[in-house]
Amino acid sequence: NMTLVKRDLVDYALIMVDEVHIIPKKLHDLLYSTETRVLGFSATPFSKGLYKIFGNNVLNLSTSQELTKLGILVPLRIVSGTKIDSGKLSKDSYGEYSAESIENATTEILGDTIQLWKDRADNRQTLIFASRISHAQAVSDEFNAHGINSAVYCADTLPADRETMIAAFKAC
């Protein structure tokens, strides 16, 4: 998202922004200062932040359940472990829990997460979504410290490393 802030938007006919429900203020201000049409995408269409940005101009095209039935998404298998201390969570200006507070609250229970994974998913391929890159790295480090092969795949991952990670994941 922040790449747009660094670019001249005059020549674009359309700007498409992913995760539009959580765009930073600088990008929000930039999008409102341009005549360029903006198309935002979000898997969180009911967040307060999204309506602060787009008002009532929001289309909900499908649900996760519909996408799962179509075979586009895999069925979720939710496993619950130790509850985090929700009193440590704080909200950002969009009404969403801040990535920093999520990271801090969940880092405290990483050991429990490892044990839960061993009990319920041991030796099964697993994707874990984290609140931000530093959180993903902390989770990965904890898994690796327990002898469980783990890697972080994010926007900063180099193309060659991405290919290696995907090949390793598919080989399991």
Side-chain angles (χ1 to χ4, degrees):
N1 285 348
M2 289 306 292
T3 303
L4 285 173
V5 173
K6 300 174 186 173
R7 293 189 180 170
D8 181 9
L9 302 181
V10 177
D11 296 325
Y12 294 102
L14 175 68
I15 299 171
M16 294 187 289
V17 183
D18 193 19
E19 299 293 342
V20 74
H21 62 284
I22 56 170
I23 62 173
K25 183 174 179 2
K26 284 183 181 180
L27 181 56
H28 176 272
D29 293 346
L30 178 68
L31 295 177
Y32 269 81
S33 69
T34 183
E35 294 296 319
T36 305
R37 290 180 181 210
V38 177
L39 180 60
F41 297 92
S42 173
T44 313
F46 305 109
S47 69
K48 292 179 185 177
L50 189 63
Y51 287 91
K52 284 184 178 180
I53 298 165
F54 288 96
N56 291 324
N57 297 318
V58 176
L59 298 175
N60 186 14
L61 300 177
S62 64
T63 65
S64 298
Q65 185 178 16
E66 291 168 334
L67 295 172
T68 301
K69 285 181 182 177
L70 291 170
I72 295 168
L73 296 177
V74 297
L76 289 177
R77 180 173 168 240
I78 299 171
V79 178
S80 180
T82 304
K83 291 185 178 182
I84 61 171
D85 181 354
S86 61
K88 294 184 177 184
L89 297 175
S90 61
K91 293 188 177 182
D92 61 20
S93 61
Y94 294 112
E96 303 286 331
Y97 290 118
S98 74
E100 182 178 4
S101 71
I102 293 170
E103 180 177 357
N104 291 338
T106 57
T107 299
E108 293 178 7
I109 61 165
L110 271 179
D112 294 341
T113 301
I114 301 295
Q115 189 57 53
L116 181 65
W117 182 85
K118 286 181 177 180
D119 293 344
R120 303 292 295 272
D122 197 16
N123 294 319
R124 291 178 58 190
Q125 290 176 301
T126 306
L127 296 175
I128 297 175
F129 296 89
S131 59
R132 57 188 185 173
I133 296 171
S134 59
H135 184 217
Q137 192 60 59
V139 171
S140 181
D141 290 347
E142 189 72 17
F143 271 86
N144 285 319
H146 285 84
I148 303 162
N149 188 27
S150 175
V152 174
Y153 185 109
C154 64
D156 297 336
T157 306
L158 299 174
D161 293 337
R162 289 176 184 217
E163 289 177 24
T164 301
M165 288 179 196
I166 291 170
F169 189 80
K170 287 180 177 180
C172 291

